Amino acid sequence: MVKIAPSLLSADFLHLERDVEMVNAHADVFHLDIMDGVFVPNISYGFPIVEAIARKARKTMDAHLMIVHPEKYVERFAAAGADMLSFHLDATEHPAAVVEQIHAAGMKAGIAINPDIPVERLFPYLAQVDFVLIMSVFAGFGGQKFIEETYDRVRRVKAEIDRIGCTCAIEVDGGVSAANAAALVEAGAEILVAGSAVFKAEDPAAVIRAMRGE
Ligand code: DX5
Ligand code: ZN
C-alpha cells in the first residue's frame, strides 16, 4: 500500500496544529523539508518547527535534509523526533558513513538525488539504505512542475532493487499529485510526497484519498 507523505513546507504556519492533525487523520508520514540556503537556494525551517510538529505527530516523521554537511545534524534530528532521515548523495563525500550514522542514531536512512543525477549512482547503496528519495523536481522549492522522466528513473531503480533482492523503498518528491500518483506507484514508488497538491487544496483529505487510488 502506497504511503502518502504531505510536505509541511506548504502548510499554513499560522495554523500548523490544524495541518498536523490533518496529516494525523488522513496521511501516513510527515515530510519535513530542511533547506540551508547553501545546498539549495532557499531556507525553510529548522528545529523549533520540527520539535513542535513532533509533539503532536502520531505518524512517521520523515526529515529530508537539503543541507551541506548532513553528518553534523544527524543526532539533532533524531532528538527532534525524526524517524526517517534522508540526505542528498552529493552533499557528502562519504554517503555510506552517513547512512551508518543515521542507523546508529536509531532512524531509517535514505539517500536523495536530484533529477540530473544518474539513478545508477544510487545502486551501490541500495542494500544498505531503507529508502531512496528520487526527486521529481529540483530540490529547493515547493510548487514546481513534475518532471516526466521520473517514471523511467523510478522503474530503473525498482528493477535494480528487485534484481539484488533488497527491501529498499522508493520515495518520490516534487510535483506529485492525484494526477500522477497511480503511474508512480505502477513504476515502483511506495512513498509519495506532496506539498502544494495537498495543502493548497480545498479538501486535503480528498486529495490524499485520490492519491491512494480510492
Ligand atoms: C522540494 C521539497 C519537496 C516540496 C514538494 O525541494 O523537497 O518536498 O515541498 O512540494 P510540491 O509537492 O509542491 O512539489
Ligand atoms: Zn522533500
Side-chain angles (χ1 to χ4, degrees):
M1 245 272 271
V2 64
K3 292 190 168 80
I4 308 299
S7 164
L8 279 293
L9 191 60
S10 297
D12 179 350
F13 288 95
L14 286 177
H15 297 94
L16 190 53
E17 184 166 359
R18 181 198 65 194
D19 287 356
V20 166
E21 290 303 346
M22 189 284 296
V23 176
N24 279 331
H26 301 288
D28 306 290
V29 173
F30 288 87
H31 185 82
L32 307 166
D33 287 302
I34 310 300
M35 305 178 184
D36 65 355
V38 180
F39 184 75
V40 288
N42 195 12
I43 297 175
S44 57
Y45 52 79
F47 294 113
I49 297 282
V50 174
E51 288 160 0
I53 293 170
R55 284 198 288 278
K56 293 282 172 178
R58 297 192 301 276
K59 299 290 170 82
T60 300
M61 298 261 296
D62 167 31
H64 171 196
L65 303 185
M66 287 160 272
I67 66 173
V68 296
H69 303 304
E71 69 282 352
K72 285 189 184 172
Y73 296 99
V74 168
E75 291 75 20
R76 284 284 307 274
F77 277 97
D83 306 295
M84 298 166 63
L85 192 66
S86 65
F87 61 94
H88 277 254
L89 181 63
D90 48 340
T92 171
E93 282 172 22
H94 309 289
V98 180
V99 170
E100 270 183 38
Q101 188 185 351
I102 294 170
H103 283 156
M107 296 175 288
K108 290 194 170 168
I111 300 183
I113 53 168
N114 264 320
D116 60 347
I117 295 191
V119 290
E120 290 70 24
R121 285 189 50 199
L122 288 174
F123 290 2
Y125 307 101
L126 290 178
Q128 189 195 3
V129 294
D130 301 285
F131 65 102
V132 289
L133 196 172
I134 299 178
M135 292 300 304
S136 36
V137 302
F138 282 87
F141 299 90
Q144 303 180 73
K145 190 176 174 297
F146 179 83
I147 297 173
E148 299 286 326
E149 285 74 30
T150 306
Y151 299 119
D152 186 51
R153 288 165 60 79
V154 171
R155 265 185 232 112
R156 273 152 49 212
V157 174
K158 178 65 177 159
E160 180 65 7
I161 288 171
D162 290 346
R163 191 185 71 78
I164 65 177
C166 64
T167 56
C168 173
I170 299 175
E171 178 174 26
V172 178
D173 183 4
V176 178
S177 68
N180 50 28
L184 286 168
V185 171
E186 172 75 30
E190 290 172 64
I191 307 166
L192 299 179
V193 178
S196 44
V198 168
F199 287 108
K200 306 293 182 222
E202 292 248 318
D203 186 349
V207 171
I208 292 168
R209 280 195 298 277
M211 290 179 70
R212 293 190 201 282
E214 290 171 9

